[in-house]
Amino acid sequence: MQHETQTEPLLAWEEFGSAGPLVGVLVGSESDREAMDAALHELDDRGISHEFLVLSAHRDPRAVAEYASTAALRGVRVIICGAGMAAALPGVVASYSELPVIGVPLRSSKSVADGLDALLSIVQMPPGVPVACVSIDGARNAAILAARILGQGGGPPPPDV
Ligand code: RP5
């Protein structure tokens, strides 16, 4: 069996860290996509690079773990997660990443109490695993908050103590 020869030098850490988008925007379902448009528009308007993925904490937990545990290495600095109903996505992402995570509780036809179910799921994190939370369907505010976090300076976050 023939081995491939490495012809290009490996990326330096700095290059690797700045290669990806600054903000990751995740939603738990295709049905959440439209509700997050305002966040994507706000990031576009501000010229902030971002990526958008549909990843379910309940239906595809391994993919969520993979994304969250590698995002910082790709240069992502803030992660926004929109989810409805049990809305585990922001909390699970925060458990795998030390990046700031902003949760957006989403209302849908299946919601209990107009999205209060998702709001409580996102807010009620255990001590040591913080998730910031904007209002129900507050996608635009999540993007503005992400921009303000990015404005506080570069570099990876210090490790938790
Ligand atoms: C949550 O369940 C998703 O974030 C979505 O808001 C809700 C319903 O998902 P679907 O049944 O529409 O895929 O996990």
Side-chain angles (χ1 to χ4, degrees):
M1 180 175 135
Q2 246 184 342
H3 293 277
E4 282 183 20
T5 311
Q6 178 75 43
T7 52
E8 297 293 324
L10 290 172
L11 288 174
W13 171 257
E14 293 79 14
E15 292 169 303
F16 188 47
S18 62
L22 288 171
V23 178
V25 182
L26 312 184
V27 289
S29 167
E30 275 294 340
S31 65
D32 299 327
R33 187 181 282 266
E34 200 180 324
M36 295 303 284
D37 276 352
L40 303 180
H41 289 147
E42 189 67 34
L43 293 170
D44 279 336
D45 288 349
R46 291 167 181 261
I48 297 172
S49 59
H50 55 276
E51 60 189 1
F52 179 86
L53 292 92
V54 179
L55 287 176
S56 170
H58 293 118
R59 293 167 175 151
D60 202 1
R62 285 187 183 85
V64 173
E66 171 77 13
Y67 177 87
S69 55
T70 58
L73 291 174
R74 294 187 302 106
V76 173
R77 289 291 169 259
V78 184
I79 302 176
I80 296 172
C81 299
M85 300 174 73
L89 184 60
V92 172
V93 169
S95 72
Y96 281 103
S97 175
E98 291 179 7
L99 293 172
V101 176
I102 305 169
V104 185
L106 299 177
R107 177 193 288 127
S108 78
S109 57
K110 290 173 267 185
S111 297
V112 171
D114 271 344
L116 188 60
D117 46 2
L119 175 68
L120 293 176
S121 293
I122 292 172
V123 166
Q124 291 288 60
M125 288 296 294
V129 191
V131 169
C133 183
V134 294
S135 59
I136 295 170
D137 289 335
R140 181 171 174 235
N141 264 2
I144 295 171
L145 181 56
R148 291 181 179 179
I149 292 169
L150 290 170
Q152 294 304 305
D160 288 346
V161 285

